[in-house]
């Protein structure tokens, strides 16, 4: 039985990367055209959503979403969620219809095919470079001025210790949200670690639960308020994770 599980995990993980790369190859001409101009990004975003949904379906995942509040079309938001899996990217694309841009680690650029478009459409951050962090804010501000939303996983990285439910949140997302006076949307991903963690011999098809919580408004807030709103948003996601894991 153990050998069967190992064979399944190996083939299933390989299938994930075949799906990722194969779909990008099939869609390559359209994806390439969609990134030629920044104003065409909403078209790229639609293609990315199709790609994400196809991967989730092809891996045997199905999404069960609960919303306390609905995003308004054409409005900018700061999307924040817990981070436990590479499928967090696909799930976020799947459940959010408003065009948004990821702020993510530059290491993902190394993934063949995926990295090509990731580099050209996302805002990349080098955690070890202070100049990179400054550039992130400049690029994010430009995207928000274009009417897009921003998505940040505020833990900054996936926790090395699998027993940790939720790492402390970094302040970048909250600083940007306050600067632009845009609502913060806390989102909890309940099952991504169980479904497809960074541990190779693990995971299975099944349900991916998502909860979009009530938004935190930032109108009238100042930068000195970012720590308080950071803690409030983290508490909402943390408490929801505890409920999901009961």
């Amino acid at each position: 039985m153990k050998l069967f599980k190992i064979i399944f995990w190996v083939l299933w993980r390989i299938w994930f990367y075949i799906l990722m790369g194969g779909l990008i190859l099939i869609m390559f001409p359209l994806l390439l055209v969609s990134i030629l101009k920044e104003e065409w990004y909403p078209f790229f975003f639609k293609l990315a959503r199709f790609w994400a949904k196809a991967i989730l379906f092809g891996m045997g995942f199905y999404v069960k979403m609960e919303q306390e509040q609905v995003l308004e079309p054409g409005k900018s938001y700061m999307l924040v969620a817990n981070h436990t899996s590479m499928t967090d990217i696909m799930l976020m694309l799947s459940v959010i219809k408003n065009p948004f841009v990821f702020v993510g680690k530059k290491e993902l650029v190394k993934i063949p095919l995926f990295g090509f478009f990731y580099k050209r459409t996302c805002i990349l951050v080098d955690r070890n470079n202070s100049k990179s962090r400054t550039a992130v804010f400049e690029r994010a501000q430009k995207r928000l001025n274009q009417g897009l939303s921003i998505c940040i996983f505020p833990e900054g990285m996936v926790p090395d210790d699998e027993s940790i439910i939720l790492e402390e949140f970094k302040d970048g997302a909250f600083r940007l949200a306050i600067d632009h006076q845009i609502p913060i949307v806390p989102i909890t991903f309940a099952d991504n670690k169980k479904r497809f963690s960074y541990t190779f011999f693990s995971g299975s098809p099944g349900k991916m639960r998502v909860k979009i919580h009530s938004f935190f408004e930032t109108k009238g807030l100042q930068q000195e308020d970012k720590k308080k709103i950071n803690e409030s948003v983290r508490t909402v996601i943390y408490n929801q994770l505890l409920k999901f894991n009961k």
Side-chain angles (χ1 to χ4, degrees), residues 135-192:
V136 164
F137 282 100
E138 292 174 355
R139 289 197 62 195
Q141 286 169 351
K142 182 178 179 182
R143 288 305 208 173
L144 287 167
N145 290 336
Q146 293 169 346
L148 301 174
S149 295
I150 298 293
C151 175
I152 297 179
F153 298 109
E155 291 170 276
M157 59 188 297
V158 175
D160 293 328
D161 185 348
E162 297 238 341
S163 67
I164 294 175
I165 296 176
L166 194 66
E167 289 277 12
E168 295 300 317
F169 283 0
K170 293 178 171 56
D171 283 335
F174 309 98
R175 175 181 159 191
L176 267 173
I178 290 172
D179 274 348
H180 289 266
Q181 301 285 281
I182 58 174
I184 298 166
V185 183
I187 303 172
T188 303
F189 294 155
D191 305 298
N192 293 18

Side-chain angles (χ1 to χ4, degrees), residues 90-134:
M90 292 82 178
L91 189 55
M92 185 68 78
L93 285 166
S94 176
V95 299
I96 300 297
K97 295 180 180 179
N98 290 40
F100 66 84
V101 176
F102 281 108
V103 174
K105 55 187 179 182
K106 71 171 189 176
E107 289 86 348
L108 294 182
V109 169
K110 298 175 184 176
I111 300 176
L113 291 176
F114 173 84
F116 176 83
F117 291 101
Y118 179 80
K119 180 179 180 179
R120 289 159 178 79
T121 57
C122 298
I123 300 170
L124 307 185
V125 58
D126 181 352
R127 292 188 297 267
N128 300 317
N129 187 327
S130 59
K131 290 184 178 179
S132 171
R133 292 196 295 270
T134 301

Side-chain angles (χ1 to χ4, degrees), residues 14-156:
I14 291 171
W15 173 237
F16 176 77
Y17 290 104
I18 290 173
L19 269 177
M20 276 185 63
L23 286 167
I24 291 173
L25 279 175
I26 292 168
M27 300 168 65
F28 192 87
L30 287 173
L31 289 168
L32 193 60
V33 168
S34 70
I35 64 171
L36 292 178
K37 292 185 178 181
E38 281 194 350
E39 56 263 37
W40 293 350
Y41 182 83
F43 176 53
F44 171 85
F45 182 77
K46 289 181 179 179
L47 296 173
R49 290 195 77 219
F50 173 82
W51 169 83
K53 290 182 176 184
I55 290 172
L56 295 180
F57 178 80
M59 293 297 291
F61 302 137
Y62 64 95
V63 179
K64 184 178 180 181
M65 182 171 67
E66 179 185 349
Q67 298 185 78
E68 291 183 345
Q69 194 170 346
V70 178
L71 280 74
E72 297 178 24
K75 188 172 180 178
S76 294
Y77 296 90
M78 177 60 66
L79 311 169
V80 298
N82 55 308
H83 192 25
T84 58
S85 167
M86 186 178 288
T87 58
D88 296 343
I89 293 172
M90 292 82 178
L91 189 55
M92 185 68 78
L93 285 166
S94 176
V95 299
I96 300 297
K97 295 180 180 179
N98 290 40
F100 66 84
V101 176
F102 281 108
V103 174
K105 55 187 179 182
K106 71 171 189 176
E107 289 86 348
L108 294 182
V109 169
K110 298 175 184 176
I111 300 176
L113 291 176
F114 173 84
F116 176 83
F117 291 101
Y118 179 80
K119 180 179 180 179
R120 289 159 178 79
T121 57
C122 298
I123 300 170
L124 307 185
V125 58
D126 181 352
R127 292 188 297 267
N128 300 317
N129 187 327
S130 59
K131 290 184 178 179
S132 171
R133 292 196 295 270
T134 301
V136 164
F137 282 100
E138 292 174 355
R139 289 197 62 195
Q141 286 169 351
K142 182 178 179 182
R143 288 305 208 173
L144 287 167
N145 290 336
Q146 293 169 346
L148 301 174
S149 295
I150 298 293
C151 175
I152 297 179
F153 298 109
E155 291 170 276

Side-chain angles (χ1 to χ4, degrees), residues 12-13 84-87 162 191-204:
W12 193 58
R13 292 270 171 168
T84 58
S85 167
M86 186 178 288
T87 58
E162 297 238 341
D191 305 298
N192 293 18
K193 181 184 286 188
K194 180 168 64 176
R195 294 276 80 87
F196 199 87
S197 78
Y198 282 92
T199 302
F200 190 85
F201 294 111
S202 67
S204 65

